[in-house]
Amino acid sequence: QQQQQQQQPQKGASGGKARAAAAAASGGMARSSVKKEGHNDARVIYVTSEDTNKEFKFKGNSISTGKYNPLTFFPKGLYEQFRRVANQYFLSVGIISLFESISPIKPYTIWSPLVLVVGLSMAKEAVEDYERHRQDHQQNISMTERFNGTSMSACEWREVVSGDLVRVVRDQSFPADIVLLASSLEDSVCYVETKNLDGETNLKIKRGVEGMDKVGTGGAAALKAMTAERSCYVECENPNNSLYTFTGNLDVSGAFNSDSVSVGGGKSASASAGGGATKISLVPSNVLLRGSCLRNTEWVIGIAIYTGHDSKVMMNSSAAPSKRSTIERGMDRIVFGMLCLLGLMSTATACVCGLWIKNTSPRVWYLDTAAADMVFDPTATVTVGFVSFLTSYVLYGYLIPISLYVSLEFVKVIQAMVFLNLDRQMYHAETDTPMRARTSNLNEELGMVHTVLSDKTGTLTCNSMEFFKCSIAGTSYGEGVTEIERSIAKRGGKPLPASAPAASSAAIEPGFNFKDVRLEGTKWMSLPDAEAVRDFFRVLAVCHTVIPEGEATPETICYQAESPDESAFVVAAKRFGYFFKRRTTSGVDVVEPVFEPGGGGGAMRTKEVHYEVLNILEFNSTRKRMSAIVRTPEGKIELYCKGADSIIYERLAYGVQKYTDHTQVHMDDYASSGLRTLCLAKRELSEAQYAEWNKTYTAAAQSLEKRDEKIEATAEIIEKELILLGATAIEDKLQDGVPQCIEQLMRAGIAVWVLTGDKQDTAINIGQACSLLRDDMELVVVNINDLVKQESDREITREEFDRLGRASVKKQLEEGSAKCDVADTADIDVGLVIDGRSLSFALEPDLARIFLSLGSGCTSVVCCRVSPLQKALVTGLVKDSGRITLAIGDGANDVGMIQAAHIGVGISGQEGMQAVMASDFAFAQFRFLERLLLVHGRYSYKRIARMVTYFFYKNLAFGLTLFLYNLHTRASGQVVYNDLLMSSYNVFLVCLPVLALGCLDQDVNQRSSLQFPSLYRQGQTNECFRLRVQLGWAANAVYVGCMSFFVVFYLIHGGEADSSDGHCFGLWEVGTTLYTGIVITVNLQMAQMINYWTWVHHVTIWGSVAIWFVLNISQSNLYGFLSTYSYMIFQPTVMPTAKYWMSIPLVVFMGLLPDLLNRGFRRLFVPEEHFAVQEFERMGRGKRKGSIGGGRGGGGGGDDRG
C-alpha cells in the first residue's frame, strides 16, 4: 500500500495551477512561529553551510549497526550468553568449585568447558559484529559533495549534517534523506533505484521542489542565497520509519528576494499579501532516501534533512520478529526439568549426608568426625546438609549438557548453509536464483508444518501479466483460451472449444497477448461506440505512473512500471495505437490516431498530443483504485479512473449507465477463465468544479497532520458520478509444477490456504487448475453477494448490512462445519471458499472460533478479495490455534502474513524483494516448497529431535553414576572419575557422533521422501519429540546408569581379586572400568540409532572410543601433578588385567540390550510407515544387484525415534 505512494510521479502533486494555489495557500506563516526540534509534531532544518542547526542537536550522519563496541563487547556479550539458563547454572557451579572445601572436583573441570562453549559463541558474535562494523565504516567514508559556502567540495558521508546542500552524481547512493531541489534533467526530475530499500530494480521518478530549478542553474549565487543566515528552512515531520510518506514545507521567503536570483526561472512564486513569504509544500516524490541510488541522471542537488540514524532506512532497520522452533521451546522445558531433578537429587544427597553424619558417623570411630570441620561436624547437621547440597549441586552438573546449544547451532548452520543453500534442485537457472536460508533457527520447524498459507499472484502464478481480453462499451473483445481453462478442461476430461488454438500461443509482445480483428488498426473507429473505445484506450495510455526509458519509438522504448499490470496496460495502449511516448513535469505526451468516427479501416494517421496531468490520486490496497485528472488535447478536464469492479461500480453515476450489465457478465466470464479484471471509467469536470475541488485538495496537501487521510477524503469527493467505459482482463499464468506441488503437500497432510485479492470465480477456477480444489471434494462456499448488491443498490443501510451479513456468515459457517463433520465420517476431503466481505465478519471474535474450526477441518481453503491486513489476521488466527503455519508470498503486501507465521518463505519474483527480506527462507519458484518441506524439513526435524533426546540421554546416564557413587559413599562428595576425564566427557568422548547424526542421517532416501509424502505426518504429530519419547529416553538413561554402576561395583568388582597376583582394584581402577563401559555404551547406542552410515559416522563413533583410550594412556604416563589420580593407573594396572577386557563387553551388551529388543519388537509387531519404506528400498537395492543409485539412504534399518 505504502509502496505505491513513493512511486507516484506526482503523488498528490498537481500541475502548475494546483501547485501555485498550494503555495499561495501556505504563505503568510511567519518564521517566528515555527516550532523547533523539541516540538512533538515537527522539526525545522535551516539550509546552511555552517553550524546554524547545532542548537537542535540533530544526529550526525555516521552510522553504527553493530551490537557491540570495544568497551561493551565483554559485558554485553557475557550478558547475552548468560541469559541462557544452562549457562547460568554452570556459572554458579564454577563459582562454587572455587571453594575446595565444598567442591568435589577441581575448578578447571567446570571452567574449561564453560569458557570453551561461551568463548566459541562470543567469538562467533565478534566475527559477525566485526563484519557489520566494517560495512558501516565503508559506508561512512564514502564520498559525496556538499556546499561549503563558496563552492561544492568533496566530503565523506559522515561529515554531512542536516541542512547541508548536497550534490550527488550519477550511479552514486544518497548519503542522507534529501529534499530534491534541482537535477540535470528537464523539469528537475531524476530517476532513482531503490533496490537497497525494497529490493526493486525498476526505476522510480522523483521530482524537484516546484520553482527551485534555479538552484541547479544559478551557480554559487543561488546556493549562497539559500544558505544565507536563516533565510531558508524546511519544516517537516519528525524522523519516522515510513519509507513512503512524507509531509513538510520549504520556506524560501528570505532566500530569493533579489532580482539577481529568481525562483523557478521566471515562474511566479506564490507570496502572501502579508509578508511575501514563499512556502512550498513538500511531498514524498520530492524526497530522495538514503540507500537509494541515482540512475540515468548526471547530478542532483538537495537539502539533507534526516541524517544517520534519523534517516528512514536506518529507522527501518529494526530486527525481524524473533522466532523459535517448537523443539527449541521443548528443549528449554527439558533443561528446566533436569534442573529440577538436579535439585531433588542434591536435596536427597544432603538429607542422606546430614542424617548419616548425625546418627551413624559417631559409631565409626576411625573417621573421628568429632574432630572434623564444619563439612562433617556431627553437631551441625544443618550446616553439613547445606554443604553437601552445594557439593552435590556441583557434582551432578553433568546432568545438564553444556555443549548442547553450541552443537545445535553448529548442526543447524551446516543444514542451512550446506544442504539447503547448495541444493541444486532448488536453484532456478532462468533467474539465476539459488535457495537462501536467511535463518537457521527454524530448520526443524520445516518438518512440522500443518498449514501453508499462500498468496496467489506471483507465488502460484508467474506475475508475468499479459493483456488478454477486454470489454468495451458492453462488447467483449479477445480470442484464445487461457492456461487455466486448459488445465480445468484437462482435469475434467472435457473438450476445448472448437475455435481454441492447439496451444496457448506465445505473447505478441511481452505484456500483450490479445487478438481481435475488430480492434486492429483503425477498424474500431467504425464501431457504433467508437468514442467510448477511444476513451478506453486513453485511460490505458494516460492513467498510470509508468516511466518510459530508451529511444522514444514504439519498437525500442522500455517501460519501467510499478507492477506488471501497469506495464501490460501501457503496452496494450501502444498496440492499439495510443503510444505513451514521454512523461514531463506537466503531464504526458502520447502519439495517438487522428479520431475519425465512422472512418475506420483506412490507413492510420497519427499525431503527438499532450495531456496535462493536473492531479494523480494514487492507488493503494485500501482505495483499490487510481485516478488521474487531466486536461485533454481538446481542452476538457477529465478524470480517468481504473480499479476493482466492486469499487468502481459503487461510484458510477446513477441512471445514465449503458454497459454495466453486459460488462458485469463479461467480467464474470473472464474471472471463470482465471483472468484478472479491472474496470475503467471516466468523468468530465467543469472548470468551476475542478477549481473548487482543487482548493480542498491543496489544503489537504498542505497539511502537516494526517495529510494522507485528508487527501484520501478529498479524493472521495471527486471520484464519483463516473461513466463506465469497460473492463480489462489480464492473464497471469501458473508457475511450473504448482499443481503437482500442492497435490504432494495435501498428500502429506498439509492444509493449503490461498489468500488472494481475486474475485471468487477467478479464485475457484485457479484453485481447480492448481489441484487445490478437486472434483472429488466437498466444496463449502461462504459469501454474502446478495447483501453486497442490496447495499450497493441502497436497498439496505450499512447498519442493516452489518447485522444481516454477520448473521448470514455465522449460519453458513455452522452449516459448513456440519457438512465437514459428515464428510470426515465418509473420508471425503472438504474445500472452503470465502470472500473478503464474509471474511471480515468471520474474523470477528464471536465468529473466529467457528471459522477456525471449519477451516481446520478442510484440506484446502481459498479466501477471496482479502486485504494485506486480513492476510496477516488469518495467519495469526491459524497460528494461535497451535497449528504450525508457513506463509509464502512474493510482494510487499505479503510481509505481514510472512512475519505473522511460524515460518515465512519469500518468493524472488516480479514485485521486488520485500517479501524475501522479511522471510526466513527464500527461493524463486513455489514448486520448491515441496522439496523444502518433504525432504529438508523432514530430515532436519528428525535429526534435531533425535539429537536433543540423545544429548539428555547420555548426560543423564553419566550423571546417575556420579549420584549413585555419592550415595554409596554416604554422600561424602567423593568422585569416582578423574577430573580431567570428567571434563572431557561432553567435549571429546560423546560429542562428535551426535554432530554426525544431526548433519547426515537419513531414515529413507530423498526419492522415497517425495514418493511417499505421508511420511511427513510424523513431524506434524511430533512423533520424535513427544513426551512419551522423552520419557523413554530418560528411562533408558536411568537403566544404563544404574545397571552400569551396580554391575561394575557389585558384580565385576565385588571384592574378589581382580588380577592373577591377587591384587584388587582400587577406587580409580574401578572408576576406569565404569567410565569405559559408559563411554562405549553411549557411543554404540548412537550406532544403533543410525540409519544412513557414512565414513563420517565410523570415524566419529570409533574415533570417540579411541580418544577415550588415548586420554587414559596419556593420563597414566603424565607427571603426577598433571594426571592427579590417574597417574600409573590405566597402562600399568588396568590394561594388563584380563578381567577388565572381559567385563567391558558384558556392561556394554547389558546396556544396549533393552533398546535393541525394543527396536526389534516395534519393527516386527508395531511397524511404522518408514519401516515399510526402508524395506521397500532394501528390496529395490537387491533388484539392482548392489547398484547404489539413489537408494543409499535408509540402509541401517534403525528407528528414527529410538
Side-chain angles (χ1 to χ4, degrees), residues 642-655:
K642 62 183 181 185
D645 57 341
S646 59
I647 300 296
I648 299 298
Y649 266 58
E650 66 185 19
R651 286 165 173 77
L652 296 178
Y654 183 74

Side-chain angles (χ1 to χ4, degrees), residues 88 102 104 172 176 182 329 355 476 487 526 647 681 684 779 817 850 978 999 1118:
Q88 293 176 16
I102 297 176
Q172 283 188 348
R329 293 193 296 270
L355 293 174
S476 180
S487 181
S526 62
I647 300 296
E684 187 172 335
L779 191 61
S817 296
I850 305 175
N978 172 275
C999 292
L1118 288 176

